[in-house]
Amino acid sequence: MVDLPVSSNFEPLLGDISESNEPSIQSQIGSIDSTSGGMFQRKHLPLVIGMLSLSFAAASLAASIVGPFVPGELSKIDASQTVIGVAFSVYPFALFIGSPVAALLCTRFGQAPVLYFGVVVEGSLSILSGYFHHLSSTNVGRISIFIILRFLQGCGAAASYTSICARLADTFPHNLGQAMGLQEAAAGLGYMLGPVFGAFLYEAGGFVFPFLVMGGVVLTTLLVLPAALRNYTPTIDKSSQGWQEDVEVCVGGSSWRGLGNPGVITGALATVISGIALGFTAPTLPGHLAKLLDVGTVGVGFIFAIPAATYIVSSALAGLAADRFGHEWVMTWGLVGMASSYLMLGPAPFLSALLPSTVFYHWLSQVLSLAGIGIAIGMALIPSMPHMHNSLRAAGHFNASEMSAGVFSSAYSMGECLGPLFGGFVTNLVGFEWATVVIACSILLVTLCTVFDHVIRSCLLCLNMFSK
């Protein structure tokens, strides 16, 4: 590949070009640690283990453990289905609004203090949530307190998760796809095991017991984090004038520089649509499966585990593929696979006449479609943060790690919030089959934006080359 200097006139549009940009970028961002070329250097192993354990405990189990028993407990104190829905959605909503704030705090105070603060907040408030019955004398007060505690837990998770992503971006700048893939695989495992873990603890010790155990697990990660952070060496000089200028802009300015970067926009869109696609089926798939396959609650639960299982595998492999073949290409093919899988899941009404109508085919199509959705979401989601990170580094932003981590966490949480709402609304409006067409078209629209951005930047690169 030809080593081309990047003209400052085109910096905002040349976000995710290959490693040929590195010589001109390093002069602005600082030298890269020579050990970062390998994914698992000995001194980095504690960091990887610590981050994975924290991601598993805090970001995943804490969010999913409450699913089997909290609705029933809230119903006992006269909470409506709407209020129960609010109690569940307030956690990802707090992640959505808290992640940009956490990124600003990481830029201002450092990643480690924000990480410790998030862990303490989430762990302690998780324990306190188990005693929400005793914090008010009225049912309305109890419900309100529980919702507030879940919101604050989400804020703590935003702080810890954003600082994790930023630290991984700083530590593994050339292998960020692999690092994010392993972290998301651990998170996916937590989401899959959380409901089972929660139901078991609830049956064993009542309502308080799951929150005590979960809070204790989260707080126990404080024993791991010092070892994980001990050998950290920044890959950029954060005492430089450029870094201090970015700190002043991030903390004291009206907005972040670089959020209008096309690479950041396309990465954020891919992240949002992946979150929407992951949550789209939550309120709608059980009824569809009961009608099409005549399966009960247990069968639906096992089928729901299919995309979670394939997402775990896909996350790790997608990170490897993205670092090897390019983040943008893997992300684009993941979006295409996501749209195709949703069209087959319905199936789309215009495909129904072309497909067999046997029971065996219905089972096969649903299993393969859900497996494909899990694989495709991993392919689209995992490269999105490295894509944003590279775009910001190519444009000379010293706080690329914090900024990309904040955007990634916030965008994914937005998708988590919108997914069930979007799925339920569209399904009630047009039915499940056409709803899958709507979500597929939405995914393809994001795909077109990604491809268009790539074509424009390639054309500008060619023009820049010939102008030299």
Side-chain angles (χ1 to χ4, degrees):
M1 184 175 292
V2 180
D3 190 7
L4 296 174
V6 180
S7 170
S8 60
N9 295 331
F10 298 105
E11 276 182 348
L13 290 174
L14 299 179
D16 193 31
I17 306 173
S18 66
E19 293 179 1
S20 61
N21 287 333
E22 285 298 320
S24 62
I25 299 168
Q26 287 181 5
S27 63
Q28 303 177 60
I29 300 183
S31 59
I32 303 297
D33 187 353
S34 61
T35 63
S36 65
M39 177 61 188
F40 294 114
Q41 298 295 329
R42 182 179 298 274
K43 71 174 185 178
H44 291 154
L45 278 175
L47 173 71
V48 176
I49 295 171
M51 297 308 177
L52 289 178
S53 63
L54 183 65
S55 176
F56 177 87
S60 308
L61 284 175
S64 61
I65 196 173
V66 299
F69 60 91
V70 165
E73 289 292 328
L74 293 180
S75 297
K76 293 178 183 178
I77 54 175
D78 300 326
S80 66
Q81 290 298 314
T82 301
V83 172
I84 293 173
V86 170
F88 273 81
S89 62
V90 72
Y91 187 92
F93 178 72
L95 279 166
F96 164 60
I97 64 174
S99 295
V101 177
L104 290 174
L105 294 175
C106 286
T107 303
R108 181 64 180 86
F109 300 106
Q111 297 157 3
V114 177
L115 178 55
Y116 290 132
F117 173 78
V119 171
V120 171
V121 169
E122 186 171 12
S124 58
L125 291 182
S126 178
I127 295 175
L128 187 60
S129 297
Y131 296 94
F132 83 98
H133 293 90
H134 308 287
L135 300 178
S136 177
S137 59
T138 65
N139 289 341
V140 174
R142 294 182 184 120
I143 295 170
S144 301
I145 288 173
F146 182 80
I147 292 175
I148 291 172
L149 290 174
R150 286 294 289 176
F151 177 82
L152 294 176
Q153 285 180 62
C155 292
S160 59
Y161 188 72
T162 302
S163 55
I164 288 172
C165 292
R167 182 56 61 93
L168 289 177
D170 269 355
T171 308
F172 303 109
H174 297 309
N175 305 98
L176 184 54
Q178 298 175 53
M180 289 297 298
L182 289 175
Q183 178 183 270
E184 288 301 315
L189 184 62
Y191 276 115
M192 187 169 67
L193 295 180
V196 178
F197 193 45
F200 172 77
L201 293 176
Y202 179 73
E203 292 294 329
F207 181 81
V208 177
F209 192 46
F211 290 98
L212 289 176
V213 173
M214 190 64 251
V217 169
V218 172
L219 292 175
T220 301
T221 60
L222 291 171
L223 303 176
V224 181
L225 288 175
L229 304 178
R230 181 175 52 201
N231 294 322
Y232 167 65
T233 302
T235 56
I236 60 177
D237 183 8
K238 296 192 175 183
S239 64
S240 64
Q241 180 181 356
W243 171 261
Q244 296 302 325
E245 291 175 354
D246 270 9
V247 169
E248 292 175 4
V249 171
C250 288
V251 177
S254 59
S255 62
W256 282 349
R257 294 184 299 180
L259 288 183
N261 188 301
V264 175
I265 294 174
T266 55
L269 287 174
T271 305
V272 171
I273 201 67
S274 297
I276 291 175
L278 196 61
F280 184 84
T281 56
T284 59
L285 188 61
H288 169 71
L289 293 176
K291 177 182 176 182
L292 185 67
L293 304 180
D294 193 25
V295 294
T297 304
V298 176
V300 170
F302 277 106
I303 294 175
F304 255 108
I306 293 173
T310 55
Y311 172 76
I312 293 170
V313 178
S314 172
S315 295
L317 297 179
L320 288 169
D323 286 339
R324 182 176 180 83
F325 301 110
H327 303 126
E328 197 169 33
W329 285 110
V330 175
M331 186 170 68
T332 301
W333 282 111
L335 292 169
V336 172
M338 206 188 306
S340 303
S341 298
Y342 262 108
L343 289 176
M344 294 300 297
L345 180 66
F350 51 81
L351 296 177
S352 298
L354 306 176
L355 302 174
S357 58
T358 62
V359 175
F360 173 78
Y361 176 77
H362 288 326
W363 270 96
L364 183 65
S365 65
Q366 298 303 293
V367 170
L368 292 180
S369 297
L370 290 170
I373 288 172
I375 293 172
I377 289 175
M379 293 177 62
L381 183 64
I382 299 307
S384 61
M385 182 182 159
H387 175 61
M388 292 186 284
H389 183 253
N390 289 349
S391 299
L392 291 167
R393 289 179 66 237
H397 291 282
F398 286 77
N399 63 328
S401 298
E402 288 79 7
M403 191 185 300
S404 58
V407 173
F408 175 80
S409 181
S410 183
Y412 182 70
S413 300
M414 178 191 290
E416 279 190 308
C417 289
L418 294 178
L421 297 175
F422 185 57
F425 174 76
V426 177
T427 301
N428 287 334
L429 198 64
V430 297
F432 185 82
E433 290 78 9
W434 279 109
T436 59
V437 177
V438 173
I439 183 65
C441 291
S442 302
I443 296 168
L444 290 175
L445 182 61
V446 175
T447 308
L448 290 176
C449 293
T450 304
V451 173
F452 179 76
D453 172 52
H454 179 74
V455 171
I456 292 297
R457 287 187 294 106
S458 298
C459 292
L460 289 173
L461 181 60
C462 292
L463 291 174
N464 190 30
M465 179 180 64
F466 285 116
S467 66
K468 298 296 182 182

